[in-house]
């Protein structure tokens, strides 16, 4: 399986830490100390999960080596949908008039991107698809409770688009050496660790400590496992792209792996936690700059709980 293109979209509306002082009493120093975040992005009033996804596709479409109509599998990934019936993936299909494709959307919180990639791998293996589009988009601000001092300051909006194929299309494609995901609903707080209940408080994090501990544990373990399965070592790794939940989590994962922090892709300081799109946005940020044969691992942990990792070679 190969990745042909990765692109992303970030809203232009910047929300600084100072915004929350009057909302919930959280000041700039406290937010930076607790999360590492300085700013986050918020979708404008005429944007939503679907429009951001289309923008992410548009930002890379001119670099796609084939016509988008050749895509025969579209997977949307989001936990913050604009419409739960006419899904993100179906909006993409309509926009680009992609006839005959398999189309659906999934949610496994912040691990959704890698779950979608693994599903695409399965369709390729079964011979049911040859080219796939995974579109990941989150509109966290649509569900945000600004008065919540625990997690309101964490969230940002954004989207990404990743095109995959069963066979190599160009020499610029990245090879997916391995991808693996796993559910952990029986561990710790499980489905109660992080919540998005539209009619009961919106996005919340009832037990941040439990999320913190398990995110470090599983993102580290999944990284080591995917490297081992690919006959690679941490020393051979050029980039680590973790889910962007908390800079302290990211630092702990890097320390656990004994991996140089300067080789870790971090975007949450300016973007906030963009949910399931965060790791794919990070991957998109380095996609074109990766040199031939360089290795990158995307590692994620999501509410629910769930985790996963993917090893790619440029």
């Amino acid at each position: 399986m190969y990745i042909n293109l990765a692109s992303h979209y970030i809203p232009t509306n910047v929300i600084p830490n100072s915004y929350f002082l009057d909302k919930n009493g959280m000041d700039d120093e406290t937010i930076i100390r607790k999360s590492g975040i300085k700013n986050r992005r918020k979708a404008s009033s005429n944007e939503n999960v679907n429009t951001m996804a289309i923008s992410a596709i548009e930002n890379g479409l001119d670099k796609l080596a084939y016509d988008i109509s050749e895509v025969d599998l579209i997977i949307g990934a989001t936990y913050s949908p604009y419409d739960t019936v006419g899904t993100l993936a179906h909006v993409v299909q309509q926009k680009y008039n992609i006839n005959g494709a398999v189309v659906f959307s999934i949610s496994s919180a912040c691990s959704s991107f890698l779950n979608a990639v693994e599903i695409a791998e399965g369709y390729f293996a079964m011979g049911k698809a040859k080219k796939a589009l995974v579109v990941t988009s989150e509109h966290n601000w649509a569900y945000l409770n600004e008065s919540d001092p625990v997690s309101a300051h964490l969230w940002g909006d954004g989207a990404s688009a990743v095109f995959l194929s069963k066979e190599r299309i160009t020499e610029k494609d990245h090879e997916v050496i391995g991808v693996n995901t796993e559910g952990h609903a029986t561990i710790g707080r499980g489905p109660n660790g992080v919540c998005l209940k539209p009619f009961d408080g919106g996005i919340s994090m009832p037990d941040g400590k439990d999320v913190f501990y398990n995110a470090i544990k599983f993102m580290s373990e999944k990284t080591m496992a995917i490297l081992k399965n690919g006959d690679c070592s941490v020393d051979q790794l050029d980039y680590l792209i973790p889910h962007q939940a908390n800079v302290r989590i990211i630092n702990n994962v890097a320390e656990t792996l004994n991996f140089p922090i300067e080789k870790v892709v971090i975007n949450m300081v300016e973007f906030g936690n963009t949910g399931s799109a965060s790791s794919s946005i990070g991957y998109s940020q380095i996609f074109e700059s990766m040199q031939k044969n360089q290795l990158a691992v995307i590692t994620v942990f999501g509410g629910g709980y769930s985790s996963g990792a993917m090893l790619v070679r440029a």
Side-chain angles (χ1 to χ4, degrees), residues 76-91:
T78 183
Y79 59 73
S80 55
Y82 176 70
D83 186 341
T84 61
V85 177
T87 81
L88 164 62
H90 289 85
V91 169

Side-chain angles (χ1 to χ4, degrees), residues 101-112:
V102 178
V103 182
F104 55 88
S105 293
I106 66 162
S107 175
S108 53
C110 295
S111 69
S112 300

Side-chain angles (χ1 to χ4, degrees), residues 225-238:
I226 205 73
L227 285 169
K228 182 178 180 180
N229 290 345
D231 293 322
C232 298
S233 67
V234 172
D235 292 338
Q236 295 174 283
L237 191 60
D238 297 286

